[in-house]
Amino acid sequence: QEPSNKRVKPLSRVTSLASLIPPVRATPLKRFSQTLQRSISFRSDSRPDLFSPRPWSRSMPPANTKRRDSKLWSETFDVCVNHMLTSKEIKRQEAIFELAQGEEDLIEDLKLAKKAYHDPMLKLSIMTEQELNQIFGTLDSLIPLHEDLLRRLQEVRKSDGSTEHVGHILVDWLPCLNSYDSYCSNQVAARALLDHKKQDHRVQDFLQRCLESPFSRKLDLWHFLDIPRSRLVKYPLLLREILRHTPNDHPDQQHLEEAINIIQGIVADINIKTGESECQYYKERLIYLEEGQRDSLIDNSRVLCCHGELKNNKGVKLHVFLFQEVLVITRAITHNEQLCYQLYRQPIPIRDLLLEELQDGEVRLGGSIRGAFSNNERIRNFFRVSFKHGSQSQSHSLQANDSFNKQQWLNCIRQAKEKVTCAGKAGEMNSEAHFILSPNGSRVSQGETTLEQMDQSDSESDCSMDTSEISIDCDRMEQTNSCENEKQIETNV
């Protein structure tokens, strides 16, 4: 027991310290209050209900999503059965086990998406069968495909948990992933329709209840619909990890190298088709106020380099599309219950576009001096695009969400200009030499790594170029043609 003569600070003296604490930002303050709340609740055994939720209040999901517990091969199986394994062999077994475990988790999530989302919404008539088919696409056909790979991997696993050969299985199975073509190409339209249907209170209420249920692990529906694409771009990484820990004289060495080449070719082909599908989707949703706004550069575009929401110096929200050879500035509107994009100004050809990076504070908001006295956040992250050709001229001061977003826009536009300029020079050289470029020309490998960069955006969505609700946060990497020594240019979409 504590001595009875222990000095205790007066409560007033402790609480008076609150006046000395300077104001802080909302986010740290929220974290501090949550920490304080937890510490008080742990110590207040006599009042356990002090911070318990009220019976009439609806519980909200926690900020952080609940993830599966990762499993290791060395923890699942006994690695010291009758013989000792080298550290390199243990790492190889871990990589093979991770491949199989990932397939098992993927199958579980795909079945969950159908059982917990698709079937109940269809049965309760929350969405029509046609709408659900558009949103879920060919998800059902992917389940037996991955069940087949998991079965093959489990069949070659020995009784002690180790696996000797997997290369031949992968070489035989990987071509099945070509069926991902239609699923990935449908994702842009699926995401747009899902975001539109969320405006229906019945859909929103159903999805919110699922989000708050334990089975969802606090993940929304789109997370489950995006899992197949995320898994697809991880296969090259998983196979390289197995190959890295496989001895040079192992029979799997050659098969794994062949398997990596197969999956890289499949991903590259799907990326190109997905990029073309995304480009076509947005081209079909452009609304022209007059026929003079139509441009053949838009119609002939097959790749959308980047797009997203920007503001002009008057605070007007604009949705800007950077196609291969033209910049299109639009305003998002609702037309026939669909999100469309009405052209704000005449399209600007990339070859005639002038790009200028503006320093913070250089732009005056609303074209008046009041911008000098405005909040610093309102006059930051601007850049200017202008165009002058004959009697036509335009100038737009555009503001990005943050400095990173601004830099990505600058990189995208500069690289698009480099590519157009380089293609023009190559065409002049070829006309002088009296020969014709190959059909591929500078378009080879466009959008080659779209899905790989999209996967990175799953964990870095705040840095995505596209800030609209229906856009897919993704990155693009393009290659210039031979006149640029085939150097790779990374852009963020």
Side-chain angles (χ1 to χ4, degrees), residues 77-320:
F77 301 97
D78 188 358
V79 300
C80 300
V81 178
N82 299 327
H83 62 283
M84 297 296 293
L85 299 177
T86 64
S87 60
K88 186 171 184 177
E89 179 60 26
I90 292 178
K91 292 180 180 178
R92 180 174 180 270
Q93 295 299 326
E94 293 284 7
I96 296 174
F97 181 75
E98 182 181 358
L99 174 64
Q101 187 62 39
E103 293 298 303
E104 188 173 340
D105 294 342
L106 173 64
I107 295 169
E108 179 182 339
D109 285 338
L110 295 183
K111 290 182 176 180
L112 176 65
K114 176 174 174 52
K115 182 178 180 181
Y117 290 93
H118 178 280
D119 294 349
M121 284 193 288
L122 179 62
K123 185 176 182 180
L124 298 174
S125 299
I126 295 177
M127 290 193 199
T128 65
E129 185 175 2
Q130 182 179 1
E131 290 171 337
L132 291 173
N133 290 340
Q134 177 69 56
I135 293 174
F136 285 81
T138 57
L139 188 72
D140 282 351
S141 65
L142 304 180
I143 297 177
L145 187 149
H146 291 279
E147 286 178 334
D148 179 40
L149 176 59
L150 179 61
R151 178 185 56 79
R152 297 189 191 192
L153 294 175
Q154 291 175 341
E155 287 177 353
V156 297
R157 183 181 295 167
K158 298 181 180 179
S159 58
D160 61 356
S162 64
T163 303
E164 185 66 23
H165 305 288
V166 294
H168 65 288
I169 295 177
L170 295 170
V171 169
D172 183 56
W173 179 81
L174 284 174
C176 300
L177 292 178
N178 283 307
S179 59
Y180 267 70
D181 183 356
S182 58
Y183 184 82
C184 293
S185 298
N186 178 63
Q187 280 199 302
V188 177
R191 180 65 181 269
L193 179 57
L194 178 60
D195 288 342
H196 175 70
K197 293 300 297 182
K198 284 181 180 179
Q199 300 175 11
D200 186 337
H201 72 279
R202 292 189 65 203
V203 175
Q204 181 62 33
D205 183 69
F206 177 83
L207 296 179
Q208 183 63 31
R209 290 178 184 274
C210 291
L211 186 64
E212 297 172 5
S213 301
F215 70 82
S216 69
R217 309 194 305 278
K218 307 307 176 185
L219 301 171
D220 60 12
L221 172 57
W222 183 251
H223 173 87
F224 293 99
L225 297 178
D226 195 48
I227 283 178
R229 179 204 56 78
S230 178
R231 180 64 176 175
L232 179 65
V233 299
K234 288 178 181 176
Y235 281 120
L237 302 177
L238 293 170
L239 300 191
R240 288 193 194 103
E241 185 66 13
I242 299 175
L243 178 61
R244 189 162 69 93
H245 300 296
T246 300
N248 294 332
D249 57 348
H250 197 284
D252 256 3
Q253 182 79 18
Q254 183 176 356
H255 285 140
L256 287 173
E257 292 177 352
E258 183 181 355
I260 292 175
N261 291 332
I262 293 174
I263 186 60
Q264 286 178 336
I266 292 174
V267 171
D269 183 59
I270 293 178
N271 279 326
I272 293 175
K273 295 179 180 179
T274 302
E276 293 176 352
S277 175
E278 179 190 16
C279 181
Q280 184 63 30
Y281 174 84
Y282 286 110
K283 286 198 301 182
E284 293 175 352
R285 277 151 186 80
L286 294 179
I287 296 180
Y288 301 90
L289 293 177
E290 55 186 27
E291 286 299 319
Q293 291 181 330
R294 295 187 179 274
D295 196 315
S296 60
L297 294 177
I298 299 178
D299 297 333
N300 297 333
S301 295
R302 299 181 59 191
V303 174
L304 179 60
C305 300
C306 64
H307 69 104
E309 186 180 277
L310 298 170
K311 294 181 181 179
N312 62 11
N313 60 331
K314 296 181 181 180
V316 178
K317 292 183 179 181
L318 304 172
H319 201 97
V320 182

Side-chain angles (χ1 to χ4, degrees), residues 390-409:
S391 61
Q392 297 182 359
S393 65
Q394 295 184 48
S395 181
H396 305 276
S397 297
L398 302 173
Q399 184 183 30
N401 293 336
D402 50 48
S403 58
F404 178 81
N405 193 260
K406 170 187 174 180
Q407 195 59 47
Q408 293 300 312
W409 271 106

